[in-house]
Amino acid sequence: MTTGSIDVHSHYIAPAYRSALESVGKDRIGGIPVPPWTPELAIGFMDAHGIARQVLSVSDPGVDFLAGEAAAGLARECNDYLAGVVASHPDRFSGLAVVSGNDPEAALSEIARCLERPGFAGLGLLSSYDGSYLGDPAFDPLLTELDQRGAWVMVHPTAVPTTDKPDLTIPDFMAEYPFDTTRAFLNLLVHNAFARFPGIRWHFAHGGGTIPMLAARMDVAAAHGKVLGPLLGLPEQSADLGPESAREALAGCWYDTALIASEGGLQAVSAMTGTDHILFGCDWPFAGLAYPPEGDPQPAIGTLFGPDDQEAIYRANAEKLLAGLPQQTESA
């Protein structure tokens, strides 16, 4: 394992966020009981596993489990708390801002407020909001702003309502999470959003869900978008797709290793994008039980890749995304 790795996929739980979850009776996220979190606990995990920096974000369910202004208000509270954490530990943490996906005006205001502040590396978005997926034209004003800023955007999955999935006794993090990430990627693709918003640096959690297995299907749909679009009921933007659209989108995004760091999972993502777009991520504290008490949390990276590729995955690729941001590129 590369010494001083950068973990781009870990979560924080602000006190106001925990209180808001409790106020609506949410004690589990993705089927996992909400774990304890403090900066000190996070640093303890990092020190035990050779991690120099974590890029912190809000996990599912974001802030839109609250309605209207309450969601936007919770986003502001979380972002202000995160800014304080980063200011207190500038050599250990960076942050991704959270916004209300159901309130475009508030989201644009919060983006302007946060992405110009030290400590914020980009924005965290959920794969969908109340059944509307990224790529839907309703998100175009938000994506236009992020495109103009050249923003790093992490897409994290969310649990779909129980009425929209099979009645199986399977926790959401095992299947619905990767499926929803996949749906978001596909919706962005068929709306030609990757080409229309080329400035966004897209980062998909958990290796992109199941998209590595769907590359061939995407190729066919994109290559014949003009013909297949009307026949299959695809959005009108699909007519602008071409033979290289799917492959360019797949190869141009970043994908983290959280909960996919087996040899098979890593090989699938590497074949899709190359090691220059793979990011080390732990999904701590929710995936804490997946790792040993200390040492390399994802040994398959070292087994599968040589030293240069390991350096890229563990640190160098994340440094490219963090480059030029105040308080965010110092070594621990």
Side-chain angles (χ1 to χ4, degrees):
M1 178 177 180
T2 298
T3 301
S5 58
I6 299 174
D7 173 6
V8 303
H9 182 165
S10 279
H11 301 296
Y12 72 101
I13 303 170
Y17 192 74
R18 188 180 297 276
S19 295
L21 290 172
E22 292 172 351
S23 74
V24 297
K26 287 186 176 291
D27 61 356
R28 292 175 180 263
I29 291 177
I32 300 172
V34 180
W37 187 91
T38 66
E40 293 74 24
L41 288 172
I43 290 171
F45 173 81
M46 294 159 69
D47 289 346
H49 295 87
I51 298 169
R53 177 182 297 279
Q54 282 186 339
V55 181
L56 299 173
S57 58
V58 171
S59 184
D60 178 47
V63 296
D64 287 292
F65 62 92
L66 299 180
E69 173 57 28
L74 181 58
R76 290 191 296 270
E77 286 188 89
C78 288
N79 290 329
D80 287 343
Y81 175 80
L82 179 55
V85 170
V86 174
S88 297
H89 307 277
D91 58 341
R92 303 309 302 267
F93 297 117
S94 300
L96 299 175
V98 64
V99 298
S100 169
N102 289 334
D103 189 337
E105 185 175 342
L108 290 173
S109 175
E110 193 64 8
I111 288 170
R113 196 176 75 93
C114 290
L115 296 193
E116 295 169 5
R117 298 170 71 180
F120 285 96
L123 181 70
L125 291 176
L126 295 178
S127 48
S128 62
Y129 294 88
D130 292 341
S132 293
Y133 283 83
L134 299 180
D136 187 287
F139 294 105
D140 278 3
L142 177 63
L143 299 189
T144 297
E145 176 68 17
L146 295 169
D147 178 61
Q148 292 172 350
R149 290 178 177 271
W152 172 1
V153 176
M154 176 190 183
V155 179
H156 190 282
T158 188
V160 300
T162 55
T163 53
D164 293 338
K165 64 183 179 182
D167 184 18
L168 302 174
T169 54
I170 298 172
D172 287 320
F173 84 90
M174 289 183 65
E176 291 304 322
Y177 272 8
F179 296 160
D180 218 55
T181 302
T182 302
R183 296 179 190 111
F185 186 97
L186 290 172
N187 207 44
L188 287 161
L189 177 66
V190 298
H191 282 90
N192 201 28
F194 295 111
R196 291 191 296 121
F197 306 105
I200 296 176
R201 296 172 291 167
W202 294 101
H203 160 198
F204 289 88
H206 311 120
T210 63
I211 62 173
M213 300 301 298
L214 302 182
R217 297 171 187 251
M218 294 185 215
D219 276 341
V220 171
H224 304 285
K226 288 184 183 295
V227 175
L228 291 180
L231 292 175
L232 300 179
L234 295 176
E236 61 181 19
Q237 294 92 338
S238 67
D240 295 323
L241 297 173
E244 303 301 320
S245 294
R247 286 292 172 179
E248 289 176 353
L250 288 165
C253 297
W254 279 264
Y255 309 90
D256 69 55
T257 63
L259 295 176
I260 60 103
S262 65
E263 290 191 34
L266 292 168
Q267 286 173 328
V269 177
S270 178
M272 178 177 71
T273 189
T275 55
D276 60 339
H277 277 64
I278 301 177
L279 303 162
F280 173 64
C282 287
D283 210 343
W284 192 85
F286 292 97
L289 292 178
Y291 305 119
E294 59 184 16
D296 190 344
Q298 296 176 0
I301 295 174
T303 301
L304 189 62
F305 300 112
D308 289 346
D309 287 334
Q310 290 182 52
E311 170 65 21
I313 293 168
Y314 280 122
R315 187 177 184 93
N317 294 339
E319 285 182 329
K320 294 175 184 177
L321 290 174
L322 291 167
L325 296 167
Q327 300 186 21
Q328 295 177 4
T329 57
E330 304 91 332
S331 297

PDB file of all heavy atoms in Angstrom, residues 294-307:
ATOM      1  N   GLU A 294      -6.101  -2.764  11.386  1.00  0.00           N
ATOM      2  CA  GLU A 294      -5.023  -1.898  10.920  1.00  0.00           C
ATOM      3  C   GLU A 294      -4.414  -2.508   9.668  1.00  0.00           C
ATOM      4  O   GLU A 294      -4.716  -3.639   9.294  1.00  0.00           O
ATOM      5  CB  GLU A 294      -3.962  -1.729  12.006  1.00  0.00           C
ATOM      6  CG  GLU A 294      -3.336  -3.022  12.464  1.00  0.00           C
ATOM      7  CD  GLU A 294      -2.362  -2.817  13.602  1.00  0.00           C
ATOM      8  OE1 GLU A 294      -2.393  -1.746  14.241  1.00  0.00           O
ATOM      9  OE2 GLU A 294      -1.577  -3.747  13.853  1.00  0.00           O
ATOM     10  N   GLY A 295      -3.555  -1.734   9.009  1.00  0.00           N
ATOM     11  CA  GLY A 295      -2.906  -2.221   7.799  1.00  0.00           C
ATOM     12  C   GLY A 295      -3.693  -1.874   6.552  1.00  0.00           C
ATOM     13  O   GLY A 295      -4.632  -1.077   6.574  1.00  0.00           O
ATOM     14  N   ASP A 296      -3.306  -2.490   5.440  1.00  0.00           N
ATOM     15  CA  ASP A 296      -3.904  -2.199   4.146  1.00  0.00           C
ATOM     16  C   ASP A 296      -5.372  -2.627   4.139  1.00  0.00           C
ATOM     17  O   ASP A 296      -5.676  -3.813   4.296  1.00  0.00           O
ATOM     18  CB  ASP A 296      -3.139  -2.940   3.055  1.00  0.00           C
ATOM     19  CG  ASP A 296      -3.546  -2.509   1.649  1.00  0.00           C
ATOM     20  OD1 ASP A 296      -4.611  -1.878   1.505  1.00  0.00           O
ATOM     21  OD2 ASP A 296      -2.804  -2.806   0.705  1.00  0.00           O
ATOM     22  N   PRO A 297      -6.309  -1.692   3.973  1.00  0.00           N
ATOM     23  CA  PRO A 297      -7.721  -2.072   3.996  1.00  0.00           C
ATOM     24  C   PRO A 297      -8.182  -2.775   2.723  1.00  0.00           C
ATOM     25  O   PRO A 297      -9.218  -3.439   2.734  1.00  0.00           O
ATOM     26  CB  PRO A 297      -8.442  -0.734   4.189  1.00  0.00           C
ATOM     27  CG  PRO A 297      -7.521   0.257   3.588  1.00  0.00           C
ATOM     28  CD  PRO A 297      -6.127  -0.240   3.846  1.00  0.00           C
ATOM     29  N   GLN A 298      -7.424  -2.620   1.616  1.00  0.00           N
ATOM     30  CA  GLN A 298      -7.838  -3.199   0.341  1.00  0.00           C
ATOM     31  C   GLN A 298      -6.639  -3.876  -0.331  1.00  0.00           C
ATOM     32  O   GLN A 298      -6.092  -3.383  -1.325  1.00  0.00           O
ATOM     33  CB  GLN A 298      -8.451  -2.115  -0.554  1.00  0.00           C
ATOM     34  CG  GLN A 298      -9.725  -1.528   0.026  1.00  0.00           C
ATOM     35  CD  GLN A 298     -10.312  -0.377  -0.781  1.00  0.00           C
ATOM     36  OE1 GLN A 298      -9.768   0.006  -1.819  1.00  0.00           O
ATOM     37  NE2 GLN A 298     -11.409   0.180  -0.310  1.00  0.00           N
ATOM     38  N   PRO A 299      -6.187  -5.005   0.181  1.00  0.00           N
ATOM     39  CA  PRO A 299      -4.965  -5.638  -0.325  1.00  0.00           C
ATOM     40  C   PRO A 299      -5.042  -6.085  -1.769  1.00  0.00           C
ATOM     41  O   PRO A 299      -3.994  -6.283  -2.416  1.00  0.00           O
ATOM     42  CB  PRO A 299      -4.769  -6.834   0.623  1.00  0.00           C
ATOM     43  CG  PRO A 299      -6.112  -7.083   1.232  1.00  0.00           C
ATOM     44  CD  PRO A 299      -6.755  -5.733   1.329  1.00  0.00           C
ATOM     45  N   ALA A 300      -6.245  -6.236  -2.323  1.00  0.00           N
ATOM     46  CA  ALA A 300      -6.352  -6.665  -3.719  1.00  0.00           C
ATOM     47  C   ALA A 300      -5.722  -5.649  -4.667  1.00  0.00           C
ATOM     48  O   ALA A 300      -5.268  -6.013  -5.760  1.00  0.00           O
ATOM     49  CB  ALA A 300      -7.817  -6.882  -4.094  1.00  0.00           C
ATOM     50  N   ILE A 301      -5.676  -4.379  -4.282  1.00  0.00           N
ATOM     51  CA  ILE A 301      -5.037  -3.368  -5.126  1.00  0.00           C
ATOM     52  C   ILE A 301      -3.556  -3.703  -5.298  1.00  0.00           C
ATOM     53  O   ILE A 301      -3.007  -3.661  -6.408  1.00  0.00           O
ATOM     54  CB  ILE A 301      -5.213  -1.964  -4.527  1.00  0.00           C
ATOM     55  CG1 ILE A 301      -6.703  -1.577  -4.511  1.00  0.00           C
ATOM     56  CG2 ILE A 301      -4.415  -0.925  -5.321  1.00  0.00           C
ATOM     57  CD1 ILE A 301      -6.993  -0.265  -3.793  1.00  0.00           C
ATOM     58  N   GLY A 302      -2.885  -4.055  -4.190  1.00  0.00           N
ATOM     59  CA  GLY A 302      -1.478  -4.404  -4.261  1.00  0.00           C
ATOM     60  C   GLY A 302      -1.229  -5.715  -4.973  1.00  0.00           C
ATOM     61  O   GLY A 302      -0.189  -5.900  -5.617  1.00  0.00           O
ATOM     62  N   THR A 303      -2.163  -6.642  -4.862  1.00  0.00           N
ATOM     63  CA  THR A 303      -2.017  -7.934  -5.537  1.00  0.00           C
ATOM     64  C   THR A 303      -2.149  -7.804  -7.040  1.00  0.00           C
ATOM     65  O   THR A 303      -1.421  -8.449  -7.809  1.00  0.00           O
ATOM     66  CB  THR A 303      -3.088  -8.918  -5.022  1.00  0.00           C
ATOM     67  OG1 THR A 303      -2.941  -9.077  -3.616  1.00  0.00           O
ATOM     68  CG2 THR A 303      -2.974 -10.266  -5.700  1.00  0.00           C
ATOM     69  N   LEU A 304      -3.044  -6.948  -7.474  1.00  0.00           N
ATOM     70  CA  LEU A 304      -3.392  -6.864  -8.894  1.00  0.00           C
ATOM     71  C   LEU A 304      -2.523  -5.886  -9.673  1.00  0.00           C
ATOM     72  O   LEU A 304      -2.199  -6.128 -10.849  1.00  0.00           O
ATOM     73  CB  LEU A 304      -4.861  -6.465  -9.020  1.00  0.00           C
ATOM     74  CG  LEU A 304      -5.483  -6.520 -10.418  1.00  0.00           C
ATOM     75  CD1 LEU A 304      -5.470  -7.937 -10.956  1.00  0.00           C
ATOM     76  CD2 LEU A 304      -6.923  -5.996 -10.367  1.00  0.00           C
ATOM     77  N   PHE A 305      -2.115  -4.786  -9.038  1.00  0.00           N
ATOM     78  CA  PHE A 305      -1.438  -3.719  -9.766  1.00  0.00           C
ATOM     79  C   PHE A 305       0.002  -3.541  -9.308  1.00  0.00           C
ATOM     80  O   PHE A 305       0.341  -3.803  -8.152  1.00  0.00           O
ATOM     81  CB  PHE A 305      -2.189  -2.393  -9.579  1.00  0.00           C
ATOM     82  CG  PHE A 305      -3.613  -2.416 -10.056  1.00  0.00           C
ATOM     83  CD1 PHE A 305      -4.675  -2.326  -9.160  1.00  0.00           C
ATOM     84  CD2 PHE A 305      -3.909  -2.548 -11.401  1.00  0.00           C
ATOM     85  CE1 PHE A 305      -5.984  -2.353  -9.591  1.00  0.00           C
ATOM     86  CE2 PHE A 305      -5.214  -2.579 -11.853  1.00  0.00           C
ATOM     87  CZ  PHE A 305      -6.264  -2.480 -10.953  1.00  0.00           C
ATOM     88  N   GLY A 306       0.840  -3.056 -10.247  1.00  0.00           N
ATOM     89  CA  GLY A 306       2.226  -2.762  -9.942  1.00  0.00           C
ATOM     90  C   GLY A 306       2.365  -1.448  -9.198  1.00  0.00           C
ATOM     91  O   GLY A 306       1.389  -0.719  -8.985  1.00  0.00           O
ATOM     92  N   PRO A 307       3.618  -1.093  -8.808  1.00  0.00           N
ATOM     93  CA  PRO A 307       3.851   0.098  -7.981  1.00  0.00           C
ATOM     94  C   PRO A 307       3.321   1.388  -8.581  1.00  0.00           C
ATOM     95  O   PRO A 307       2.750   2.211  -7.856  1.00  0.00           O
ATOM     96  CB  PRO A 307       5.372   0.126  -7.828  1.00  0.00           C
ATOM     97  CG  PRO A 307       5.794  -1.303  -8.001  1.00  0.00           C
ATOM     98  CD  PRO A 307       4.849  -1.875  -9.008  1.00  0.00           C
TER      99      PRO A 307
END
